[in-house]
Amino acid sequence: MSRHLGTLASWRTELRAGNITPAELVRNVAQAIDKSDTATHAYLSFDTDKAVKQAEQADIHSALAGIPIAIKDNICVYGEPARCASKLLENFIAPYDATAIVKLKASGGIPFGRTNMDEFAMGSTGANSAFGATGNPNNQTHAPGGSSSGSAAAVADGTAIAALGSDTGGSIRQPAAHCGIVGLKPTYGRVSRYGLVAFASSLDQIGTLTQTVEDSGILLQAICGHDPHDSTSSNRECDDFTSGLGRDIKGTRIGIPQEYRTSGNHPRITAALDKAISTLESLGAEIVEISLPHSEAVVAAYYIIACAEASSNLSRFDGIRYGVRAANPNGLEDLYRRTREAGFGPEVKKRIILGTYVLSSGYYDAYYSRAQKVRALVAEDFRKAYAEVDYILGPTTPAPAPKLHDSAMTPLQTYLADIYTIPANLAGLPGISIPCPVDGDALPVGIQLLGRHFDETGLLTVAHAVEQSLNV
């Protein structure tokens, strides 16, 4: 893996010192994309001239100092494509900025490049894009993870300094683990969803993909905050998320769920978890075994809830208001049918059908209503756990990155790849994945820390301490 671009924090220092201008930095990133992205296909498009013009107006004393940030293709940037990696939105241009982009620009960041993804954020491999799969920069025959595949691969490959993604059931943390970078999903409501094309509205959250924990805190600081356009946006003040970095974590109680230590984990995942536990113990943290008893039900509950919400959210794509339209329809129903048949990919169709089924009058109580009850039980599991511990440690994924287009992977196996990341979305908790080097092949693996609602500052403090010790 080649990271030929520096960190967000280091570039901010260079820009403020006058050693480089924001416009020059944008051109450097564009050159890196030209050089490397043909193999990885992390980007769907990028507009260097537009970004340079914005960079020429950037304030180097702002929080992001004119640094270019890659943007997942489901986050609206005014005047740029917002295709969600779908043929249905192939020609759609965003008519406004998402609130996260408004805040990014106000903080001196330059949105630069639309990154590839699983179509409408549905998938965990990066292979479900209508415009071609993204490759893992560590081994391009393997998946980078999804759905924020392009954002993760770009940061890992050195074609982005940092990136924004979205996380519905692990779509930031899982590709971060597979690509060997840091992925942060904030507390639900911490970052506005206005301008994020909805997959499952009660689960979706914009977050960060970066090279370091420090960069995650810097970038989150730039995009967080209340938004009156989003009724689920929290009015809680943003903290200084990097204020605890370098702080001693002695005495911090770290919970290890017994359900996360299973024979189903790949040996390198088990080794990574053991290494992380040893590292935390060496830093003076107290390790406590805990239980999250409803862990075995999270995948089933998630896919019922997420698909139900997707079937509702994606009903707006009907060939009339957005995107492509079937030619010469024979009535309204024919227009809907042929537009969606041509525009949606197989995974999206599968989830819409499942979501429609579980919401139907005969099955609503049997499936959707019960899934929501399980969701409440999962949240209660965490509430009880946090009465005993400060943070929870576990694997990010049960195995390293699978091969792209692996015919041996069943849909169920693919869905189970999110088994450790889904609980944070169901409960609305913040979670971060950090790389954990272990012996074996070149594919990275990650470990995940989960915190209480709105405790990103503490979560980043512990993650940074582990990161620094692992990299010594």
Side-chain angles (χ1 to χ4, degrees):
M1 179 172 60
S2 173
R3 287 184 182 153
H4 48 266
L5 290 175
T7 65
L8 191 156
S10 64
W11 280 120
R12 186 169 66 174
T13 300
E14 291 292 303
L15 287 160
R16 289 175 176 174
N19 296 330
I20 190 172
T21 69
E24 289 171 333
L25 183 54
V26 167
R27 292 189 183 97
N28 285 352
V29 174
Q31 290 172 4
I33 296 171
D34 286 334
K35 180 180 179 181
S36 301
D37 192 60
T38 301
T40 306
H41 193 39
Y43 287 87
L44 295 179
S45 65
F46 62 98
D47 188 337
T48 304
D49 291 340
K50 179 180 178 180
V52 167
K53 289 178 181 177
Q54 293 179 358
E56 289 171 345
Q57 305 300 317
D59 178 6
I60 61 171
H61 300 292
S62 59
L64 295 180
I67 296 171
I69 306 294
I71 309 297
K72 187 175 179 179
D73 197 40
N74 62 345
I75 301 172
C76 289
V77 179
Y78 174 73
E80 295 193 15
R83 291 165 290 198
C84 298
S86 176
K87 288 289 186 183
L88 198 143
L89 291 177
E90 187 169 9
N91 300 316
F92 182 71
I93 302 297
Y96 65 99
D97 280 329
T99 297
I101 300 301
V102 172
K103 290 179 176 291
L104 184 81
K105 290 178 176 179
S107 299
I110 312 297
F112 183 51
R114 308 294 299 169
T115 57
N116 206 355
M117 58 183 282
D118 285 310
E119 184 183 4
F120 283 105
M122 299 181 189
S124 54
T125 63
N128 292 333
S129 169
F131 305 109
T134 303
N136 191 315
N138 303 277
N139 184 332
Q140 288 160 13
T141 66
H142 284 254
S147 64
S148 302
S149 54
S151 289
V155 174
D157 200 32
T159 57
I161 296 168
L164 296 186
S166 66
D167 193 309
T168 305
S171 291
I172 285 174
R173 290 160 289 153
Q174 192 231 53
H178 284 342
C179 290
I181 62 169
V182 177
L184 172 65
K185 183 202 86 71
T187 303
Y188 183 78
R190 177 67 95 175
V191 179
S192 172
R193 293 183 298 108
Y194 181 73
L196 171 68
V197 179
F199 165 12
S201 302
S202 72
L203 301 164
D204 298 338
Q205 185 63 94
I206 294 173
T208 65
L209 293 123
T210 60
Q211 298 175 53
T212 66
V213 172
E214 180 184 16
D215 283 2
S216 293
I218 294 170
L219 189 52
L220 177 61
Q221 193 81 46
I223 63 173
C224 78
H226 178 64
D227 177 20
H229 292 108
D230 177 6
S231 62
T232 63
S233 170
S234 171
N235 58 10
R236 188 173 181 133
E237 290 292 323
C238 289
D239 303 322
D240 179 355
F241 298 121
T242 60
S243 62
L245 302 189
R247 188 180 299 163
D248 186 0
I249 64 167
K250 185 176 181 180
T252 302
R253 292 171 63 83
I254 307 294
I256 312 296
Q258 62 187 30
E259 293 81 6
Y260 291 4
R261 283 190 169 280
T262 76
S263 59
N265 289 339
H266 189 280
R268 294 183 68 236
I269 299 299
T270 300
L273 182 58
D274 289 341
K275 184 174 183 178
I277 291 171
S278 297
T279 299
L280 282 160
E281 288 178 326
S282 72
L283 293 168
E286 181 182 351
I287 303 300
V288 181
E289 184 174 297
I290 62 170
S291 177
L292 298 174
H294 294 93
S295 295
E296 65 178 13
V298 296
V299 173
Y302 168 81
Y303 277 98
I304 289 171
I305 294 168
C307 292
E309 294 185 15
S311 72
S312 176
N313 280 323
L314 270 63
S315 65
R316 73 194 67 183
F317 302 112
D318 52 14
I320 296 175
R321 291 167 288 186
Y322 306 96
V324 301
R325 176 182 297 189
N328 303 315
N330 184 23
L332 192 61
E333 185 176 338
D334 185 57
L335 171 64
Y336 289 172
R337 181 178 56 79
R338 291 201 290 118
T339 295
R340 289 167 175 165
E341 172 63 29
F344 288 138
E347 185 64 30
V348 175
K349 292 174 184 174
K350 184 191 306 180
R351 298 196 190 196
I352 290 172
I353 292 169
L354 176 59
T356 303
Y357 177 80
V358 301
L359 287 176
S360 61
S361 59
Y363 299 99
Y364 183 95
D365 289 335
Y367 293 104
Y368 184 73
S369 181
R370 291 180 71 183
Q372 291 288 14
K373 291 176 182 178
V374 170
R375 183 179 192 172
L377 292 172
V378 170
E380 179 64 12
D381 287 348
F382 279 112
R383 188 192 67 77
K384 291 179 180 177
Y386 284 125
E388 300 179 42
V389 299
D390 302 307
Y391 302 95
I392 295 172
L393 173 72
T396 308
T397 62
K403 287 197 170 184
L404 274 171
H405 312 296
D406 186 352
S407 59
M409 287 281 288
T410 67
L412 179 58
Q413 287 175 310
T414 302
Y415 294 162
L416 287 171
D418 293 332
I419 192 169
Y420 298 129
T421 53
I422 283 171
N425 297 84
L426 291 176
L429 298 169
I432 188 169
S433 177
I434 60 175
C436 187
V438 292
D439 294 335
D441 58 42
L443 291 172
V445 296
I447 52 103
Q448 177 183 224
L449 282 160
L450 302 177
R452 294 183 178 92
H453 292 110
F454 299 104
D455 186 23
E456 283 85 358
T457 301
L459 183 66
L460 290 168
T461 298
V462 176
H464 181 263
V466 175
E467 174 192 54
Q468 296 303 300
S469 293
L470 289 173
N471 290 332
V472 169

